[in-house]
């Protein structure tokens, strides 16, 4: 079962722009709890406490929001940030239970990059997907998914069907052969390979022989054929 994190919250009685501005001035972040066929609950969170949880794995964590004497089991679904300061402006939480099956974006983490022969030979690790959308029960969401690149050489790739997902977790991508990560050959290395191929000497044995050899130097040219004699 996934670890459950806790956050303290307070009920927010009023909505609207004026009320939310007042909340933010008080170093609070407005938020809402919705889902599970229940009425939405408007709440506020301590901005400082919320920032400690905001990371790449925020959307894969199940939280217990303590609002007064009530505890809500939720998962974050959206965070709005200020376009300049990047301060959190609003958070959406979805109610979940042990039987709630949802989709979530899970970060992909490349492992053993220092052991990768392709990288050691000058290749570049290219993550086609930095996150993978998965479907599972709320209490089974993995915090991250590992990509083992220890045996990848230049030009080799990891495909979706090669990734080992935790039990009960399935990827939503329909193309099971989709490329997830690859070791790309840098253009500098490709240029050297092309140059070496272009300057490779051609062996005389590879040149096809002509049908008739040219006459040796100083040899007389063959005599012209005489015309046939006319009949009297």
């Amino acid at each position: 079962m996934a670890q459950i994190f806790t956050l303290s919250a307070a009920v927010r009685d009023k909505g609207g722009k004026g009320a939310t501005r007042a909340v933010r001035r008080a170093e609070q972040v407005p938020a809402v709890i919705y889902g599970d066929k229940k009425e939405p609950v408007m709440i506020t969170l301590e901005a400082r406490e919320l920032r400690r949880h905001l990371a790449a794995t925020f959307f894969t964590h199940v939280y217990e929001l303590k609002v007064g004497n009530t505890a809500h089991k939720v998962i974050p679904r959206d965070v709005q940030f200020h376009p300049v300061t990047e301060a959190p402006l609003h958070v959406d939480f979805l109610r979940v239970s042990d039987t709630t099956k949802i989709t979530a974006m899970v970060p992909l983490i490349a492992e053993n990059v220092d052991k990768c022969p392709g990288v050691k030979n000058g290749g570049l690790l290219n993550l086609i997907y930095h996150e993978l959308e998965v479907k599972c029960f709320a209490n089974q969401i993995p915090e991250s998914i590992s990509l083992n690149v220890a045996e990848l050489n230049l030009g080799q790739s990891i495909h979706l069907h090669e990734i080992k997902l935790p039990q009960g977790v399935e990827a939503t991508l329909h193309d099971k052969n989709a490329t997830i990560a690859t070791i790309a050959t840098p253009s500098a290395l490709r240029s050297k390979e092309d140059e070496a191929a272009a300057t490779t000497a051609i062996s005389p044995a590879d040149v096809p022989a002509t049908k008739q050899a040219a006459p040796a130097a100083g040899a007389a040219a063959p005599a012209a054929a005489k015309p046939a004699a006319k009949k009297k």
Side-chain angles (χ1 to χ4, degrees), residues 37-56:
K37 299 179 180 180
K38 297 178 182 178
E39 289 293 322
V41 178
M42 295 189 299
I43 60 173
T44 60
L45 305 167
E46 289 285 344
R48 183 177 298 177
E49 184 182 8
L50 175 62
R51 290 192 192 99
R52 289 199 296 265
H53 293 269
L54 290 177

Side-chain angles (χ1 to χ4, degrees), residues 40-41 58 63 65 79 115 138 178 188:
V41 178
F58 181 61
Y63 284 86
L65 287 180
V79 180
K115 300 177 182 178

Side-chain angles (χ1 to χ4, degrees), residues 72-221:
H72 299 267
K73 194 175 182 180
V74 299
I75 186 168
R77 298 306 274 175
D78 186 51
V79 180
Q80 297 175 21
F81 293 94
H82 191 281
V84 178
T85 65
E86 296 186 351
L89 299 178
H90 192 276
V91 186
D92 291 351
F93 292 100
L94 174 68
R95 291 188 186 92
V96 296
S97 67
D98 292 342
T99 58
T100 304
K101 206 165 190 178
I102 61 173
T103 59
M105 300 300 294
V106 179
L108 293 172
I109 306 297
E111 294 187 345
N112 298 317
V113 179
D114 58 328
K115 300 177 182 178
C116 177
V119 173
K120 288 182 178 179
N121 290 327
L124 301 174
L125 174 61
N126 182 20
L127 290 179
I128 310 300
Y129 291 88
H130 292 271
E131 294 178 313
L132 187 65
E133 186 181 65
V134 301
K135 186 176 183 179
C136 59
F137 291 112
N139 62 353
Q140 293 180 324
I141 301 174
E143 188 164 294
S144 62
I145 296 173
S146 298
L147 299 177
N148 186 5
V149 299
E151 299 181 359
L152 288 187
N153 284 297
L154 288 170
Q156 292 186 328
S157 304
I158 294 178
H159 300 92
L160 178 60
H161 68 269
E162 298 171 313
I163 299 176
K164 186 177 180 180
L165 297 175
Q167 185 176 0
V169 178
E170 58 180 312
T172 60
L173 273 175
H174 295 296
D175 184 6
K176 302 307 178 184
N177 201 42
T179 300
I180 304 301
T182 185
I183 303 297
T185 303
S187 56
L189 287 181
R190 287 198 299 268
S191 298
K192 290 181 180 179
E193 292 173 358
D194 295 342
E195 183 180 350
T199 56
T200 301
I202 301 176
S203 171
D206 295 332
V207 179
T210 56
K211 293 183 178 179
Q212 184 175 354

